[in-house]
Amino acid sequence: ILFRAAFAIFKMNKSNLLRLGDPISLLGRLKLMSRLMYNGDALLQTAFDLGKFYGRSFIDRRREFHLAVQRKATRQQMTRVTSLRDTLTRSKSIRDTVRRVQSRANTLVWECAAVTSSDVVWLCQGSHDTGRLAVLPLALDPESAFLEHQFGSRITCIAELNSDVVLVGTLSWSLVAFSSQTGQELWSMLLTDSLLSLTCSGSGQTYVGLADGTIAYFEVCTHVASVLVDDDGISCAWSTGL
């Protein structure tokens, strides 16, 4: 009888329950259903108008069916957990494979090179997260000629600006100038994207191809005397030109 009464409460609130659209509202309504049930006669009438009611044996069968479904889902979950555990047990070989891949990724390779007018070779070596420069005549061992300067990314291009300056472009948007005589860094500037190519004319004009599809152009000069900004652009005056 209690089970009939519980079913009757759900039946009398069926239309209200079907209008709810989220679990929170449903739970709140379930808590209020019995508290708002004041008409006992209507409740008993609905309970005994349900017709042939499910007996205990039917309920027990439905419960066993539900438990069987839950046990199957639990076994499948345990199978996945066991498979994952076996994979982790074999993780040593996986870690070794990852280390080999990372080792190959971090291997230093020769990226680019340039020969200056004084017959000195500048070699660029690096990987995805580091770069270094070597300066040597052709007869020397490169390992003994690396500069102390370290880059935080790959060196992608190099060119001689003039007999005193070598320009180096990096993947981290930097253009760095080095002294051809001492190998010391002279200056650096940050462009708008990664430098992919670099070429210099004999008169000091430099063209840089960037990863965003644009070309940067500038002239390297010394002792800039004054700078003027107007609607047409920027004008720089130095000892030999404008």
Side-chain angles (χ1 to χ4, degrees):
I1 294 178
L2 291 178
F3 211 61
R4 279 180 175 268
F7 263 79
I9 293 175
F10 275 95
K11 185 174 179 62
M12 296 174 68
N13 288 272
K14 177 180 178 181
S15 59
N16 292 329
L17 293 174
L18 292 177
R19 284 198 296 266
L20 301 178
D22 60 273
I24 302 300
S25 301
L26 178 61
L27 291 175
R29 187 66 185 180
L30 292 176
K31 292 180 180 179
L32 293 175
M33 285 193 311
S34 59
R35 298 179 185 178
L36 300 177
M37 186 61 60
Y38 301 111
N39 193 341
D41 293 335
L43 175 62
L44 292 177
Q45 183 68 34
T46 304
F48 287 97
D49 283 348
L50 293 173
K52 182 180 179 181
F53 200 70
Y54 302 113
R56 175 61 62 181
S57 60
F58 176 83
I59 296 173
D60 290 340
R61 288 196 301 271
R62 298 300 299 174
R63 181 181 292 114
E64 287 299 326
F65 175 78
H66 177 71
L67 291 176
V69 172
Q70 292 297 319
R71 293 190 190 100
K72 182 179 179 180
T74 302
R75 286 195 299 269
Q76 291 176 345
Q77 182 67 22
M78 291 302 299
T79 300
R80 289 194 291 268
V81 170
T82 303
S83 175
L84 178 60
R85 183 178 59 201
D86 294 340
T87 301
L88 293 177
T89 302
R90 298 190 300 269
S91 62
K92 183 178 184 300
S93 61
I94 297 176
R95 288 196 302 269
D96 292 343
T97 302
V98 171
R99 290 193 188 100
R100 287 195 297 270
V101 172
Q102 291 177 341
S103 177
R104 288 196 295 268
N106 292 327
T107 300
L108 294 173
V109 297
W110 297 106
E111 301 278 2
C112 50
V115 179
T116 67
S117 55
S118 56
D119 294 330
V120 175
V121 179
W122 287 66
L123 298 172
C124 305
Q125 188 184 54
S127 64
H128 69 284
D129 60 354
T130 187
R132 58 179 185 168
L133 283 170
V135 182
L136 69 157
L138 293 177
L140 294 182
D141 177 13
E143 290 298 328
S144 63
F146 280 105
L147 302 181
E148 294 183 359
H149 187 93
Q150 294 290 324
F151 296 86
S153 68
R154 289 174 53 191
I155 301 173
T156 53
C157 49
I158 185 172
E160 183 186 29
L161 177 63
N162 51 48
S163 59
D164 298 321
V165 180
V166 172
L167 298 179
V168 175
T170 71
L171 203 62
S172 57
W173 304 14
S174 295
L175 178 67
V176 187
F178 289 90
S179 169
S180 301
Q181 309 302 322
T182 64
Q184 298 297 315
E185 180 182 343
L186 301 177
W187 51 263
S188 65
M189 67 171 61
L190 196 64
L191 301 186
T192 59
D193 210 326
S194 300
L195 287 72
L196 301 183
S197 58
L198 174 64
T199 185
C200 303
S201 68
S203 58
Q205 298 171 334
T206 301
Y207 299 86
V208 183
L210 304 179
D212 61 2
T214 61
I215 297 177
Y217 163 80
F218 59 93
E219 294 187 25
V220 178
C221 57
T222 58
H223 306 298
V224 176
S226 61
V227 177
L228 174 64
V229 180
D230 54 25
D231 294 338
D232 297 328
I234 301 175
S235 301
C236 301
W238 65 95
S239 58
T240 59
L242 177 64

